[in-house]
Each structure stands twice: as structure tokens, then as C-alpha cells.
Amino acid sequence: MDAPAVSVDARAKRATGPIVLLGAPGAGKGTQAKLIAAHFGIPQISTGDLLRDHVRRNTPLGQQAQAIMGRGELVPDQLVCGMVEQRLAEKDCEQGFILDGFPRTVAQAQWLDGRLQAGLLRGKPAEKVPLLVIDIAIDYALLVQRLTARRTCPQCGAIYNLQSNPPHKAGVCDLDGANLITRKDDQEAVIVERLKTYERETLPLTNYYQQRGALRRIDGAGTVEQIAQAVRDLLERRGS
Ligand code: AMP
């Protein structure tokens, strides 16, 4: 059966708007972003996934990013912002989108504010919904544990955890049967660098967004489902 026709106004009411997921590497941003994207029917935009795709395709951006990512440092703002700008211009972002891993610096946050204010989504429903920033807060000891136990599917991007969310068959993705991998930057030495980078560059963003009244905090220590429920409650409360 065809979906009933919806007026622009009704669509505008339903627009989820722009969402940013903040949190240290391993806090669960990717896992939660996928669940939110599926629940609200909006795209997940993971700058880490986009960059890894550039590396795989060996594009000029991928060539510049590869070594930086391997060291656990940040790819320059200008390159990442350009990549995000292109993705946000796609039609599926009209009703809203969830950014996972972006912004990661105050300069990137300022760029995003500027684009939203300048009508990046001009005339489209999502523009009318203010930016919501969800910070998944979590203890450092737990982060290292989670990152070393993380396995990902190189084909579909599904994320597993050997302890809390293992695949049905060891080493194989439940969704497409591909062999799971450990991300190169999930090795302990790189994890330590990524956490230092996070503290120096990304943690100041919580203040940045708090001052603007956009920040909501969620405890990231629970199970995937507990955190997902907390995120859904937050988003649904906002919509009412
Ligand atoms: P992630 O998958 O989000 O953990 O990102 C993996 C790596 O990609 C990071 O360690 C950075 O090197 C790079 N990266 C991802 N997002 C950004 C961003 N917003 N700004 C700069 N570098 C990024």
C-alpha cells in the first residue's frame, strides 16, 4: 500500500532536525547514531566512516587522511568541513540528520553553526528545528575496554563488542557474513593518542554547546538498549 500523502506542514512538524552526538571514542556514538537514524528515518553521517571510505577508495582526501588517522590525530578542519558540506547537501538530509564524530573541534562547531544560520538547509523543514547536541558521558577505563573489544564489519559498518554484543558466529558479521576486523586505530597505543586528542580538541565543545543551551547529557555506562532508550526519550520530549 502506498504511504498516505503528507502536506509540507505535517512534514515540517515531524522533522527531527540536526542532531550532534558528542562523546569520547568508544562512548557508543556510532552504535547509538545507527539506532537513532533507523528510529527517526534520518541519515547517520559519520565523518570517521566517510574518511575510511575515502581511504579505501584511495581518493586524494583519503591519501591525506590515512596517516593522520593511523596516528590517532585529527584530519584538518577544512578538509572535514568540505566533506560534511557535500554530504549535507544531499536530499536525504532535508528532514534532519545525525552527525556522529563531527564536530570534533571548536572551529568545526563554529563552521556548522555558521552553515545552519546561513540557511544551509534553506527552506527545508529541518532548518526550523534547533540543533540538539547529545553528549554520551563515560569513564575512561570503560572506553579502553570497549575499544579493544570492538570489531567492525568492513562491508556494512556494523559494530560489535566481543563482550557485550558479540556476533552470532565468531568473527563474522550477522548482517552480511563479511569477516569482522579490528580497526587499525583500535590498537592500544593509538587509543591512548585518540583519547589525548579528544581531551585537547573535542572536550571543550561540551562547554561551547552548554553555553548555547543546546547540550543534553546521557550516561554512557549502561547497555546499548538503556542508552538508546534515554536518547529516544530525550528526542521525543523535545518534539512534544
Ligand atoms: P571515528 O570513526 O569517529 O573514531 O574517527 C576515526 C578517525 O577519523 C579519527 O581518529 C580522526 O583521525 C578522523 N576523524 C573523524 N572525524 C573527524 C573530524 N570531525 N575531524 C577531524 N578528524 C576526524
Side-chain angles (χ1 to χ4, degrees), residues 15-32:
T16 310
I19 302 168
V20 161
L21 270 193
L22 278 186
K29 296 189 296 297
T31 301
Q32 294 300 328

Side-chain angles (χ1 to χ4, degrees), residues 134-201:
I134 303 174
D135 181 35
I136 307 183
I138 188 168
D139 207 71
Y140 267 34
L142 205 51
L143 291 178
V144 178
Q145 233 180 61
R146 279 199 188 166
L147 289 169
T148 47
R150 174 159 74 180
R151 298 293 180 271
T152 55
C153 173
Q155 222 152 264
C156 72
I159 303 169
Y160 298 88
N161 180 289
L162 295 184
Q163 267 98 49
S164 60
N165 177 33
H168 292 308
K169 186 174 168 213
V172 176
C173 180
D174 294 347
L175 304 179
D176 58 23
N179 287 330
L180 300 178
I181 56 161
T182 303
R183 272 172 48 177
K184 285 207 183 90
D185 57 354
D186 278 346
Q187 286 151 15
E188 206 155 337
V190 187
I191 290 173
V192 171
E193 275 318 305
R194 287 167 66 203
L195 291 177
K196 279 192 204 157
T197 306
Y198 168 76
E199 279 211 335
R200 196 178 55 240
E201 308 279 354

Side-chain angles (χ1 to χ4, degrees), residues 2 38 49 61 77 100-101 104 137 176 205 207 215 223-224:
D2 288 345
D49 284 349
L61 171 56
D77 291 332
D100 142 29
R104 250 178 162 100
D176 58 23
L205 280 182
N207 268 341
L215 190 79
T223 62
V224 168

